[in-house]
Amino acid sequence: MLQDLASVMFDEKVLAAKCQELGRQLTEDYAGKDLLVVGILKGSFMFFSDLVRSINMPLNIDFMAASSYGSGTETSGKVLIKKDLSVDIKGRHILLVEDIIDSGVTMSQLMAELMKREPASIRLCALLSKPSRRRIEVNIDYCGFEVPDEFLVGYGLDYAENYRNLPVIGVLKREIYS
Ligand code: IMP
Ligand code: MG
């Protein structure tokens, strides 16, 4: 799989250090609060598991699945909730964990939907952000890295459902998807 990458952008060491850094900050910010960490499937699964292990306090976890992408590399502009939360979030502090914010369409729609359920707070933690691609403003409370407009795979990120199990994040060779 590594031979399908034009370059490695973040290796295991850099990703682990970022999770530790974010985890320390979250541990401080949510001290004494009832925290529900929500992973957005499938892309966040690897980041999610590293991140929650670096948050040093009691917390609950849950997952949602949404998609706006199909199997290509361009967003369709619509979000579909494919799997909903299994608990009521009213009055709870919610931390959404996402792999990457690209156009912002998926996250802004998900956030709007979750706000209707009257949580005590909702914050967003995204490992990656592509600011140059934004179509809708999304406030990322905890952002791992800002990245250029390249198609990235690995560490949860896919191209047509492949490469999620790569332990690093890299730029997919253009000839693979064009
Ligand atoms: P948005 O609605 O355009 O912000 O799309 C966010 C979703 O698109 C992410 O959760 C990813 O699943 C997917 N996505 C965006 N950019 C990339 C990329 O470079 N590689 C893989 N998936 C991506
Ligand atoms: Mg995806």
Side-chain angles (χ1 to χ4, degrees), residues 1-7 153 163 171-174 176:
M1 284 191 298
L2 276 174
Q3 70 272 14
D4 292 352
L5 300 183
S7 61
V153 294
Y163 306 103
V171 180
L172 189 62
K173 281 184 182 162
R174 216 163 266 278
I176 308 273

Side-chain angles (χ1 to χ4, degrees), residues 42-43 66 69-70 72 99-100 151 156-159 161 164:
K42 303 172 201 170
Y69 256 59
D99 53 357
I100 183 165
F151 199 77
L157 293 154
D158 75 305
Y159 169 64
E161 293 301 329
R164 293 195 197 275

Side-chain angles (χ1 to χ4, degrees), residues 89 109-122:
I89 61 170
Q109 297 195 16
L110 260 187
M111 283 236 188
E113 169 59 32
L114 294 177
M115 282 306 289
K116 291 186 205 155
R117 305 182 191 181
E118 301 176 20
S121 70
I122 296 193

Side-chain angles (χ1 to χ4, degrees), residues 49-65:
S49 69
D50 285 340
L51 185 70
V52 292
R53 275 181 285 187
S54 70
I55 304 176
N56 187 21
M57 55 174 266
L59 54 78
N60 289 174
I61 65 165
D62 204 352
F63 296 96
M64 285 184 93

